[in-house]
């Protein structure tokens, strides 16, 4: 199927999920996850009106970002952040969804100096899966305090990837609850920026939107299966 047909189907799923939970379609941003896909696939998706793209691998992403050279696109880093890649990430991306350590946040902050703040999310390990990245729910607030002290980062909210065994309905609901508890605890200035809940992939975007996702990260349903 073409990206156009895939996008129509994804849009229909998002619209139905928003409708089912009484949310506006404009509350949910579709991030097209283009990892392993060539720049021409991103171009085709951008030509269909998509504006937000997610990438996991820094070198691959930087090559696409530079090839496309479309400054109106928003690039979201959604892979694990290695400390030797923080400069490239802070230079080329608009968002980082996967902050799980203060050290990484400080490096991104230092490399972002002199530019508009980098939007960041804290990745929560909602199901305490030892194989998954992310900070434990009970350690989230301490990491948030560290990030709020960094002038070149704009802390926007939470992101999670659930373990395969976790029921997406209850898993995403628990992250949404944590999101609300943190929001209530933030000072007014930080609370004004706290607006993003990045949940949901191809298999479970409906449960994510029902739980309150503001961003869904969709790869397979848009671009087809990945070869790697
Ligand atoms: C690859 C990836 C996605 C997209 O997954 P699909 O199941 O292909 O939609 C979303 N989020 C993250 C963090 C990913 O690594």
């Amino acid at each position: 199927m073409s990206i156009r047909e895939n996008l129509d189907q994804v849009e229909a799923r998002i619209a139905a999920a928003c409708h089912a939970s009484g949310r506006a379609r404009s509350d949910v941003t579709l991030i097209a996850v283009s990892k392993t896909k060539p720049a021409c696939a991103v171009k085709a998706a951008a030509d269909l009106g998509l504006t937000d793209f997610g990438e996991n691998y820094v070198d691959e992403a930087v090559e696409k970002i530079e090839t496309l050279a479309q400054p109106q696109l928003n690039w979201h880093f959604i892979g694990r952040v290695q400390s030797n890649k923080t400069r490239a990430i802070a230079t080329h991306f608009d968002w980082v969804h996967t902050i799980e350590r203060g050290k990484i946040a400080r490096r991104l902050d230092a490399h972002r100096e002199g530019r508009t703040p980098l939007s960041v999310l804290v990745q929560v390990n909602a199901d305490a899966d030892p194989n998954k990245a992310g900070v434990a729910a009970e350690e989230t607030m301490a990491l948030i305090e560290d990030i709020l002290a960094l002038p070149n980062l704009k802390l926007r909210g939470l992101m999670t990837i659930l373990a395969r065994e976790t029921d997406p309905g209850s898993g995403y609901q628990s992250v949404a609850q944590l999101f609300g508890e943190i929001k209530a605890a933030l000072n007014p200035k930080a609370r004004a920026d706290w607006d993003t809940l990045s949940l949901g992939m191809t298999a479970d975007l409906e449960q994510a939107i029902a739980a309150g996702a503001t961003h869904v990260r969709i790869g397979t349903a848009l671009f087809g299966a990945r070869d790697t």
Side-chain angles (χ1 to χ4, degrees):
M1 279 216 294
S2 68
I3 295 176
R4 148 113 270 160
E5 290 166 305
N6 289 344
L7 177 59
D8 286 347
Q9 292 194 353
V10 170
E11 275 298 338
R13 287 177 64 189
I14 294 173
C18 287
H19 183 73
S21 46
R23 302 184 60 199
R25 171 65 189 85
S26 56
D27 283 354
V28 180
T29 299
L30 169 58
I31 299 175
V33 176
S34 45
K35 63 176 175 227
T36 81
K37 300 298 175 184
C40 60
V42 176
K43 170 85 168 53
D47 287 348
L48 294 170
L50 288 175
T51 52
D52 288 75
F53 292 88
E55 290 277 346
N56 295 56
Y57 310 108
V58 178
D59 297 348
E60 177 197 329
V62 167
E63 198 180 314
K64 279 182 237 181
I65 293 167
E66 289 181 339
T67 302
L68 289 159
Q70 298 200 27
Q72 79 283 10
L73 299 181
N74 300 312
W75 291 94
H76 300 251
F77 189 76
I78 63 171
R80 191 173 277 215
V81 183
Q82 295 172 297
S83 35
N84 64 343
K85 300 288 186 186
T86 48
R87 179 188 293 276
I89 293 171
T91 305
H92 293 280
F93 283 83
D94 305 290
W95 290 71
V96 177
H97 289 226
T98 43
I99 306 285
E100 49 176 329
R101 287 189 287 150
K103 178 189 163 198
I104 292 290
R106 286 189 291 278
R107 291 181 68 105
L108 289 168
D109 175 73
H111 292 309
R112 192 70 176 193
E113 183 73 46
R115 302 189 44 210
T116 57
L118 181 65
S119 287
V120 300
L121 306 177
V122 167
Q123 182 175 358
V124 182
N125 188 348
D127 29 36
D129 177 350
N131 301 314
K132 275 262 147 53
V135 65
E138 59 275 17
E139 287 159 17
T140 306
M141 207 59 210
L143 177 56
I144 283 173
E145 298 292 348
D146 283 355
I147 296 171
L148 289 175
L150 301 171
N152 305 303
L153 301 186
K154 180 174 178 175
L155 179 62
R156 306 287 295 262
L158 301 178
M159 176 269 204
T160 206
I161 306 169
L162 296 178
R164 214 177 283 279
E165 311 78 62
T166 301
D167 169 63
S170 55
Y172 289 146
Q173 291 288 349
S174 74
V175 179
Q177 185 178 340
L178 181 65
F179 178 85
E181 288 166 8
I182 292 168
K183 182 170 188 171
L186 293 174
N187 68 53
K189 183 174 173 296
R191 192 182 305 150
D193 292 339
W194 186 257
D195 59 3
T196 302
L197 198 44
S198 169
L199 314 172
M201 320 199 329
T202 289
D204 56 22
L205 74 86
E206 285 81 5
Q207 290 94 332
I209 289 172
T214 64
H215 290 64
V216 291
R217 310 177 307 265
I218 307 298
T220 309
L222 283 174
F223 296 112
R226 289 178 287 273
D227 319 308
T228 43

